[in-house]
Amino acid sequence: LGVVLRFGQHVRTVNPGLNYHMPYPIETVLTPKVTTNNPIHIGMRLVDDMRRGTTTRDVPEESLMLTGDENIVDVDFTVFWRVKATSREGVADFLFNIQNPEGTVKAVAESAMREVIGRSEIQSILTGARQTTEAAVHELMQKTLDQYGAGITIFQVQMQKVDPPSQVIDAFRDVQAARIDQERAQNEAQTYANRVVPEARGRVAQIVQSAEAYKEQTVA
């Protein structure tokens, strides 16, 4: 889209194609790319290596977060954003309301993820709540950026890695393995009980019936 400025003031926004504006210095035009999805990586950095290709470097000051049950979790995630081109005002907001769009999105993303993680328990975060967490962060980010008048649309929030801190990950895996063993033992015990208890009740009923029959026969 073309954002036309007259003596530095925004006067109109025009669609792609053949357009005109008065010559400089009366009017100038800015052409932000409104269809590009811009990725921002938080908790990690992509590093180009001549020998190993693209590798990932961890950034713990961004990725370590405190959960609601007072555990530390290491979260790497990516946010995709683009200019809000659904309205002419959105493009102008993007150009004039925020000085550093990428830095703003990054700060809002980290803050939103910390808030969502801070009201969640570590077990749910590490297992089945990934999509719920992504949706909550997406919604909170969009709400905050709209309050800023940033002219930015959050396209997607994608969690890349969710682990305990590297210093305790082995111990945490041992705990997880022990929990799985506990659940398996409970299931095996329940299966055994489901088989044995009905058999025992059947034998009890048989003994009672035999005793009743013997009683009736003896009395008779």
Side-chain angles (χ1 to χ4, degrees), residues 59-120:
V59 185
E61 58 268 23
E62 295 177 0
S63 62
L64 292 179
M65 304 181 186
L66 190 65
T67 66
D69 52 354
E70 298 182 354
N71 284 288
I72 296 176
V73 67
D74 191 354
V75 181
D76 294 347
F77 65 105
T78 303
V79 174
F80 297 91
W81 64 276
R82 58 189 174 199
V83 180
K84 185 180 288 187
T86 54
S87 66
R88 304 303 172 89
E89 293 79 11
V91 182
D93 289 344
F94 171 77
L95 290 173
F96 306 124
N97 284 0
I98 53 175
Q99 186 173 15
N100 181 4
E102 187 165 322
T104 300
V105 173
K106 183 174 181 295
V108 170
E110 186 176 342
S111 174
M113 181 63 76
R114 290 186 184 279
E115 180 173 336
V116 173
I117 293 294
R119 57 175 185 244
S120 306

Side-chain angles (χ1 to χ4, degrees), residues 7-211:
F7 298 115
Q9 182 180 8
H10 175 227
V11 291
R12 65 186 184 277
T13 302
V14 297
N15 290 320
L18 184 63
N19 295 281
Y20 72 93
H21 65 84
M22 299 177 69
Y24 178 85
I26 299 174
E27 287 187 346
T28 56
V29 63
L30 302 175
T31 55
K33 297 179 180 180
V34 299
T35 59
T36 303
N37 286 329
N38 306 285
I40 292 181
H41 305 290
I42 299 171
M44 60 180 180
R45 296 290 184 273
L46 299 181
V47 180
D48 292 328
D49 192 305
M50 295 293 293
R51 292 174 296 179
R52 294 180 294 176
T54 303
T55 59
T56 303
R57 178 174 61 86
D58 196 30
V59 185
E61 58 268 23
E62 295 177 0
S63 62
L64 292 179
M65 304 181 186
L66 190 65
T67 66
D69 52 354
E70 298 182 354
N71 284 288
I72 296 176
V73 67
D74 191 354
V75 181
D76 294 347
F77 65 105
T78 303
V79 174
F80 297 91
W81 64 276
R82 58 189 174 199
V83 180
K84 185 180 288 187
T86 54
S87 66
R88 304 303 172 89
E89 293 79 11
V91 182
D93 289 344
F94 171 77
L95 290 173
F96 306 124
N97 284 0
I98 53 175
Q99 186 173 15
N100 181 4
E102 187 165 322
T104 300
V105 173
K106 183 174 181 295
V108 170
E110 186 176 342
S111 174
M113 181 63 76
R114 290 186 184 279
E115 180 173 336
V116 173
I117 293 294
R119 57 175 185 244
S120 306
E121 294 186 356
I122 190 171
Q123 193 60 38
S124 63
I125 297 170
L126 296 177
T127 53
R130 176 169 294 204
Q131 291 183 347
T132 305
T133 303
E134 290 174 346
V137 172
H138 188 164
E139 180 181 357
L140 184 56
M141 283 190 66
Q142 191 63 64
K143 180 180 178 182
T144 303
L145 290 168
D146 289 345
Q147 290 174 347
Y148 290 169
I152 288 174
T153 296
I154 300 301
F155 182 67
Q156 185 181 15
V157 176
Q158 192 176 76
M159 297 176 74
Q160 306 291 346
K161 183 193 73 172
V162 184
D163 285 324
S166 57
Q167 296 89 335
V168 298
I169 191 169
D170 292 336
F172 195 89
R173 285 173 179 165
D174 291 341
V175 171
Q176 293 290 88
R179 184 176 287 112
I180 293 172
D181 291 341
Q182 178 189 14
E183 292 176 356
R184 183 174 63 249
Q186 288 176 342
N187 292 335
E188 291 174 353
Q190 190 62 48
T191 301
Y192 176 74
N194 292 339
R195 186 181 71 251
V196 171
V197 171
E199 292 177 355
R201 287 173 178 167
R203 287 199 300 270
V204 168
Q206 183 181 8
I207 293 170
V208 170
Q209 289 175 0
S210 298

